[in-house]
Every structure is written in C-alpha cells, then in structure tokens.
Amino acid sequence: MGYKRLGDYIREVNVRNRELKVTNLLGLSVSKEFMPSIANTIGTDMSTYKVVERNQLVYIADTSRRGDKIAIGLLDKYDNAIVSQAYTVFEVIDHEQLLPEYLMMWFRRPEFDRYARFHSHGSAREIFDWDELCDVQLPIPSITRQREIVSEYETLTNRIRLNNQMILHLEATAQALYRKMFVDNIDKENLPEGWRMGTLGDYVELSQGIQVEVEDQSLIKYKGYNRFIRIIDYTPNTTEPPRYVNISNKRYFSTREDVIMIRYGDAGTVCRRLEGIIANNLFKITPILSITRNYVYHFLKSDTIQKLVKSSAASSTMPAITHKAVKDLECIIPPSTIMQEFDTIISIIERDICLKSDEISKLTELQSLLLSKMGK
C-alpha cells in the first residue's frame, strides 16, 4: 500500500459566524480534544469567529508553545461550533475516499506530532502551516479497510469511556458513603461518644516529591528504574507516555493506595492509584495515627475541604498549596471501629476501581498498537 499526499484529499474551510447563529465556543487541547472555551468573550465580536460543522477538522498552526504536541481535532460530538479566528478549519473532500475518523487516527500518532514539530518553522514562533499539512504523506487503504480500522479503534475508545464512567460512579458512591458516615447529621459541637475533633497534621505525614531528569518508557525493562509520577499523569485522557527514573528511595515512592495532592497549578487536587517516584510538584499524605488512607483520601476529596484547600492555594500569585495549609485542616476523628467499618467497604470499591483502571491501561496500549500499525 503506497503513501498518498494528504492535500489531495482535504480542503480548507473558512466560514465566519456572520449571523451569530452558532454560540457554542470551543477550544482545542494538545490531547486532541475539543473543550469548552474559558476565554473571556465579553465585548468580543463573535461574528468573526470560524464555524466548524460535524466531521470537519481544526488545527492550531502555532506549535512553539505546546511542547512536542500539535493541537488538532475532529468535531464529532457536536453538530456545529465556533472556534478562534487563529484556528485552521478543514474537511475531507470525499468521505468515500478518506474517512475523517481514519484521518484523525493518523493525527493521534506520536509520529505525526514529531513530524509536525520538525516541519514547523518561523523566528518569533514556529508554525506548521497549511502547505506543510497538505504535504503530509499517509497510507490510505480501501474505504472498507478504513471502516474496519476505525471500528476497532472506536470499540476500544468506547470501552475506555465506559470504564471511566464506571470509575466516576464508584468514586461518587464512596464519597456518598463518607458523607453519610462522617458529615451528614454530625454536629461538631456535640459529637457522639468516642468521637473527637483534631487537625489533620496530628495524624498524617507529608512527603514532598523530587526533581530529577526523567527518561522514556524503553527503560522499564531495566532493574532499578521506577515510573516517575507527574501532574500530567493524573490528567484524564492524557496521551503523554510514561517516564522513568533510576531511583528507588522509599521516601519518594508512592503506591496505588497512597494519597497524592497536587501542589501547583491545579493545587489541592487529590489523586491516587499510580505507583512510582513522585515529582516535586506533588506530595504524599501518609497516615501515622488512628486514621486510614481511605479516610484521608475521601476527607480531602469532600466538597467542603476541597473549597478550603483551593481557596488557600488561590491566595498566592501562582496557585499553590502549602504543607501547613493541609496540616491545619480541621477533621473529625471517629472511633477505630467505625473507621475500620468504613475502610472495609471502601476497600471493596477501591478494588473495583483499580480493576477498571488496569483495564483502561491495557485498552490504551491496544489503541497505541493499532495506531502504530497504520504506518506499516
């Protein structure tokens, strides 16, 4: 199967929102997904924005500020939307020759990101312009084979989406149980017998991560290398490959059960379920007295505590959470029997979540394998 020039199969589209009929403003991420725009549009003339229709594609030509990624996406979840004038909108000319979904799979390949970065040019900022995109060479099999490949990929994608939905449901169930046992109808001024108030710092230890040089996933086979856990690894739908470091220090090592909090950026966000050495923009929260990791995790995930933590982080120039802010959090300490009852139930839910997470990892590997085979 020979390679074909992409420019023979696509054309640029430049339709403006002149009549202001489209109001759904979307942005585009380096994970190649459309997302609701957070731009302040007050007083903005929305008639100059570009209209995107279902099955059309959009890309951002400026690649200099996005690391090794190029932001490009297929509009498949909306009938239409509007995007910034700086974006390039294009479409496949004939869907019986090239499926937009197949083309989007090609754009998801890490090899395409590397190609786009290599062919970007400019002085003040680097651009992967329209002519460069048109010069992309890719294999275009029969439309029947394209449909088969897309169907295989979408089956994996749908399974990943279903598992993520189930994880969210399990998380919500666990959080509801926490609220029922430790928040609802609990009067802090008149606690039941055996319950007491305390500050989190009296019951946990905080360990900050480490800053080191990281290496790629090929080193996983070498003894002494551990995965290096960064903020991006806790980002939903991340396409960033794992990184590894030759460090085994227990102080910086996190297990799947450990409670991890993001220190900068999305400061205060609580995570878990990844195993490896944690980066310096994360810290691990380890119980040392009377309470369990499950209790600490759901205490910190509760709405009230998240608001306190986020407000504390936002008070600095760069959103950041300090050790002191976490340690000073007021918390209820129930009797050990009640704590263990909660822990037993939550451990069952956590086991199911981990099984779903493991399946997502395997399905994601299969997706990567399918994408890699497109070039062969």
Side-chain angles (χ1 to χ4, degrees):
M1 177 176 58
Y3 277 58
K4 308 293 179 63
R5 180 179 177 270
L6 179 57
D8 297 332
Y9 295 84
I10 61 174
R11 62 189 170 205
E12 189 173 358
V13 177
N14 188 6
V15 177
R16 302 299 173 124
N17 192 31
R18 300 299 184 195
E19 298 180 5
L20 301 176
K21 289 184 177 180
V22 184
T23 58
N24 184 24
L25 177 60
L26 299 178
L28 192 58
S29 71
V30 291
S31 61
K32 307 188 191 300
E33 301 288 344
F34 283 97
M35 56 187 180
S37 175
I38 59 173
N40 182 0
T41 59
I42 296 175
T44 303
D45 180 8
M46 307 303 288
S47 67
T48 63
Y49 278 55
K50 293 183 178 180
V51 176
V52 190
E53 302 290 345
R54 184 181 290 274
N55 288 328
Q56 290 181 341
L57 299 101
V58 176
Y59 89 100
I60 303 175
D62 181 357
T63 63
S64 56
R65 293 175 293 177
R66 293 173 177 84
D68 296 327
K69 305 289 184 181
I70 178 169
I72 190 166
L74 170 69
L75 191 74
D76 56 0
K77 296 181 175 64
Y78 306 91
D79 289 332
N80 54 40
I82 50 175
V83 295
S84 167
Q85 310 94 314
Y87 294 6
T88 301
V89 181
F90 64 100
E91 65 183 6
V92 174
I93 298 171
D94 185 351
H95 290 195
E96 290 301 315
Q97 295 293 321
L98 175 62
L99 290 177
E101 297 87 353
Y102 176 85
L103 178 57
M104 190 61 219
M105 285 181 62
W106 184 262
F107 291 149
R108 291 188 183 280
R109 302 174 78 241
E111 292 85 354
F112 173 75
D113 284 321
R114 289 195 289 270
Y115 174 92
R117 286 293 294 128
F118 181 79
H119 287 271
S120 297
H121 51 82
S123 53
R125 57 195 182 111
E126 295 183 341
I127 300 295
F128 184 64
D129 62 30
W130 175 250
D131 290 338
E132 292 288 357
L133 179 64
C134 288
D135 285 339
V136 167
Q137 300 281 326
L138 76 160
I140 301 181
S142 69
I143 197 67
T144 300
R145 180 57 185 149
Q146 288 182 51
R147 291 191 179 109
E148 290 173 351
I149 293 170
V150 168
S151 178
E152 291 173 21
Y153 188 83
E154 289 183 346
T155 297
L156 296 173
T157 300
N158 290 335
R159 184 64 187 179
I160 290 172
R161 185 182 299 114
L162 178 61
N163 278 358
N164 278 322
Q165 290 172 351
M166 295 178 73
I167 287 174
L168 288 175
H169 177 72
L170 289 167
E171 282 270 19
T173 300
Q175 188 61 212
L177 178 63
Y178 169 83
R179 289 195 302 270
K180 181 179 180 180
M181 294 183 67
F182 306 113
V183 179
D184 297 344
N185 302 317
I186 298 294
D187 182 358
K188 294 181 181 181
E189 303 299 326
N190 297 283
L191 291 173
E193 185 177 352
W195 295 54
R196 63 189 185 278
M197 296 300 300
T199 55
L200 189 62
D202 295 332
Y203 298 91
V204 301
E205 177 181 80
L206 272 65
S207 304
Q208 186 173 322
I210 189 172
Q211 183 172 355
V212 293
E213 292 294 324
V214 298
E215 302 178 72
D216 64 29
Q217 58 187 347
S218 64
L219 295 167
I220 189 173
K221 62 185 177 182
Y222 293 109
K223 185 178 180 180
Y225 276 85
N226 282 299
R227 184 170 178 180
F228 189 61
I229 309 298
R230 304 153 297 166
I231 291 177
I232 195 168
D233 295 311
Y234 288 112
T235 303
N237 304 316
T238 181
T239 57
E240 186 74 14
R243 293 289 185 265
Y244 292 84
V245 292
N246 188 15
I247 295 174
S248 302
N249 192 316
K250 290 184 179 180
R251 173 180 174 81
Y252 306 116
F253 192 85
S254 169
T255 67
R256 299 181 70 164
E257 294 78 21
D258 281 318
V259 181
I260 303 298
M261 181 174 281
I262 295 175
R263 299 182 60 228
Y264 300 111
D266 194 12
T269 299
V270 186
C271 318
R272 68 190 315 183
R273 304 186 195 105
L274 289 178
E275 185 172 284
I277 301 294
I278 59 172
N280 69 324
N281 48 23
L282 304 169
F283 52 59
K284 178 172 64 174
I285 305 172
T286 307
I288 54 176
L289 289 173
S290 304
I291 57 178
T292 66
R293 286 181 288 191
N294 283 327
Y295 181 82
V296 171
Y297 177 72
H298 288 285
F299 165 74
L300 291 171
K301 287 278 286 187
S302 64
D303 293 339
T304 303
I305 299 305
Q306 275 292 292
K307 288 178 183 177
L308 286 173
V309 172
K310 297 288 186 182
S311 62
S312 173
S315 64
S316 59
T317 304
M318 176 182 179
I321 186 70
T322 65
H323 291 63
K324 186 178 186 302
V326 177
K327 288 186 174 183
D328 286 347
L329 290 171
E330 184 182 61
C331 61
I332 293 174
I333 308 299
S336 59
T337 53
I338 302 219
M339 184 81 71
Q340 288 303 320
E341 178 186 349
F342 173 76
D343 205 55
T344 298
I345 300 173
I346 294 300
S347 294
I348 296 171
I349 296 175
E350 273 296 313
R351 182 191 63 195
D352 289 344
I353 291 175
C354 286
L355 287 173
K356 297 299 178 188
S357 297
D358 289 342
E359 186 176 344
I360 288 173
S361 296
K362 295 298 182 183
L363 291 168
T364 303
E365 289 177 12
L366 289 174
Q367 280 187 319
S368 298
L369 181 61
L370 185 57
L371 293 178
S372 68
K373 286 184 175 181
M374 291 178 70
K376 297 179 181 179

